[in-house]
Amino acid sequence: MANKTIKIEILRYRPEQEDKPSPQLFEVPYSPDLTILEALQYIKDHLDSTISFRWSCRMAICGSCGLMVDGVPKLGCKTFLRDYFPNKIKLEALANFPIERDLVVVMDDFINKLEEIKPYIIPEDNTKCLSDGPHQQTPEKLAKYKQYSMCINCGLCYAACPQYALDTKFTGPAALALLARYNRDSRDAGSKQRMKIVNQEEGVWGCTFVGYCSVVCPKGVDPAAAIQLLKVESSKDYLIGMFKPD
Amino acid sequence: MNNNNEKKYIRSHEPVFWGLFGAGGTLTAFMTPVMILITGILVPIGLFGEGKFNYQQIHQFATSWYGAAIILILVALPLWHTFHRIFHGLHDLGVKQGRDWQQVICYGSAFAVTIFVLTLLLQMIAA
Ligand code: SF4
Ligand code: FES
């Protein structure tokens, strides 16, 4: 096991010194329990301190370390060198997002979309008073949306989505899954407002059910399923809208 | 309708085409292979039907109301499915020009053939 190493090629982009991204090769000590994120930290500490990448929790919960590993969207902290060794690993910034610097991308469009779908519980008008006690939920009511509430906003699904790649107007997987999470919550009364977003061409109808978003999602959210369920809701809404235009 | 200074949302008509696409897809997946197997292979080589699939029999079926309805559905829905897929496939391939015309040609073709088959069947029933 003595002194094994693994080659890591990183697509670098330093806007102040180059017009377009170019690859740089590093060689780091290999051990089967090292993650891609730890390899990047090794590079930053020992080989090249100028390399830029995002991370925080190191345990697949903050969603900041997304990147392309050999062309596949992955979390750096949840991906192990052992699954690639002895081959060279190619790292690039998340696809479909503008590169800010090296492996850091501009997330603004994604964040705006998450905000646009009103990701909070919209209570009914005759809101319960605090003194009336909590809104109780049965396990069944919880099960209706729990899976869609597990998203960590890593953006891997947007990097995977060919429709988002073609047209960034598409609301996209994570935002639509989050929308489903609130629409399916028994305490929420905001479905009507959110269905307007769903019903658009850029809403669920921008999706052609490729399903790659659900494959790459590190939290098992299955955004593709959320979108297909919303398509059914949108179709019902369409029928109702034919007889009862608002 | 307009919540003041809120973004204007435009409803897509996709549910109509998606509904036809879905129904057609189910038929294409489950029925079309069976139909091809029976009418295209098993009957011609004489392994199935034993003379029951002759012209008279089929004509009788096609000129009954339920037979005509079944034939119309079996031809039309998979067609809507196919053209919907082609329309979206063109977008996936990055053919950006003339999306309106692509739409007219795709769904227009599905519509035209549907009407053609319908008229044909009605004529046969009337004859
Ligand atoms: S749905 Fe999954 S892949 Fe998409 S942002 Fe959320 S956790 Fe990441
Ligand atoms: S560092 Fe937080 S998800 Fe990877």
Side-chain angles (χ1 to χ4, degrees):
Chain A
M1 255 319 279
N3 301 335
K4 278 189 196 163
T5 62
I6 185 164
K7 288 196 177 71
I8 298 186
E9 186 188 290
I10 301 176
L11 191 72
R12 305 223 43 193
Y13 176 55
R14 290 142 292 190
E16 72 284 353
Q17 69 181 69
E18 57 206 351
D19 293 336
K20 52 178 202 284
S22 57
Q24 186 179 349
L25 194 66
F26 297 96
E27 195 158 347
V28 304
Y30 170 79
S31 131
D33 55 0
L34 281 186
T35 62
I36 300 257
L37 177 63
E38 286 166 313
L40 284 169
Q41 287 167 328
Y42 180 90
I43 293 171
K44 192 161 178 83
D45 289 347
H46 301 281
L47 305 176
D48 187 341
S49 63
T50 68
I51 191 106
S52 300
F53 53 95
R54 284 198 183 111
W55 63 280
S56 175
C57 70
R58 293 171 280 121
M59 47 192 271
I61 204 64
C62 72
S64 44
C65 64
L67 76 177
M68 305 299 281
V69 182
D70 285 350
V72 178
K74 297 263 187 195
L75 291 181
C77 67
K78 202 175 179 252
T79 310
F80 288 87
L81 297 185
R82 60 171 178 261
D83 294 326
Y84 299 86
F85 186 79
N87 299 326
K88 183 176 86 177
I89 303 177
K90 223 168 105 184
L91 302 182
E92 292 158 319
L94 265 190
N96 301 343
F97 291 95
I99 303 180
E100 187 161 325
R101 184 180 191 86
D102 295 340
L103 299 172
V104 175
V105 293
V106 183
M107 286 275 209
D108 297 7
D109 182 53
F110 176 54
I111 304 294
N112 289 339
K113 282 179 168 140
L114 291 175
E115 277 175 10
E116 196 204 337
I117 59 100
K118 304 179 202 285
Y120 37 81
I121 286 179
I122 301 173
E124 269 177 288
D125 287 339
N126 50 351
T127 320
K128 271 170 70 162
C129 180
L130 262 188
S131 58
D132 294 337
H135 290 266
Q136 300 216 323
Q137 286 200 302
T138 60
E140 194 187 354
K141 287 175 178 163
L142 175 68
K144 268 199 90 181
Y145 68 82
K146 180 152 186 241
Q147 178 186 352
Y148 304 132
S149 72
M150 302 307 279
C151 173
I152 57 172
N153 306 341
C154 62
L156 299 197
C157 49
Y158 283 67
C161 177
Q163 294 303 340
Y164 185 69
L166 281 168
D167 186 355
T168 53
K169 283 209 288 299
F170 176 40
T171 310
L176 287 168
L178 191 64
L179 189 154
R181 178 252 171 275
Y182 285 98
N183 271 15
R184 296 168 72 83
D185 191 315
S186 62
R187 299 162 296 182
D188 180 87
S191 285
K192 209 165 161 238
Q193 300 174 39
R194 295 194 199 92
M195 282 316 283
K196 288 189 181 148
I197 301 167
V198 172
N199 292 337
Q200 303 171 96
E201 205 66 54
E202 302 99 274
V204 285
W205 302 112
C207 164
T208 51
F209 201 10
V210 173
Y212 193 32
C213 53
S214 294
V215 175
V216 302
C217 175
K219 303 307 278 186
V221 173
D222 200 354
I227 295 175
Q228 304 322 301
L229 288 170
L230 283 175
K231 281 184 185 173
V232 176
E233 289 306 313
S234 179
S235 300
K236 285 191 211 157
D237 201 82
Y238 186 86
L239 278 178
I240 294 168
M242 279 180 7
F243 301 109
K244 237 178 57 189
D246 55 0
Chain B
M1 178 158 182
N2 35 42
N3 292 347
N4 32 346
N5 72 42
E6 232 186 62
K7 186 183 149 186
K8 204 163 164 51
Y9 296 103
I10 301 167
R11 189 194 273 281
S12 163
H13 292 292
E14 192 73 2
V16 176
F17 303 106
W18 185 67
L20 290 164
F21 167 77
T26 314
L27 280 184
T28 309
F30 289 108
M31 297 297 293
T32 313
V34 182
M35 303 233 312
I36 293 174
L37 185 71
I38 294 175
T39 60
I41 299 170
L42 294 182
V43 171
I45 60 174
L47 281 177
F48 188 81
E50 285 144 17
K52 286 215 187 78
F53 280 83
N54 55 32
Y55 177 79
Q56 264 73 31
Q57 293 276 347
I58 302 279
H59 188 269
Q60 211 172 43
F61 176 73
T63 49
S64 69
W65 283 105
Y66 69 93
I70 290 174
I71 290 177
L72 181 66
I73 287 170
L74 282 177
V75 174
L77 284 182
L79 211 67
W80 283 92
H81 173 87
T82 309
F83 277 108
H84 179 84
R85 195 55 261 175
I86 290 174
F87 177 63
H88 282 280
L90 286 169
H91 169 259
D92 296 348
L93 291 172
V95 188
K96 288 205 179 77
Q97 298 98 343
R99 282 303 276 166
D100 293 350
W101 278 106
Q102 289 175 27
Q103 197 162 20
V104 169
I105 291 168
C106 286
Y107 297 123
S109 308
F111 184 74
V113 180
T114 304
I115 295 299
F116 173 72
V117 175
L118 178 71
T119 338
L120 206 65
L121 287 164
L122 287 177
Q123 267 180 354
M124 279 167 66
I125 291 173

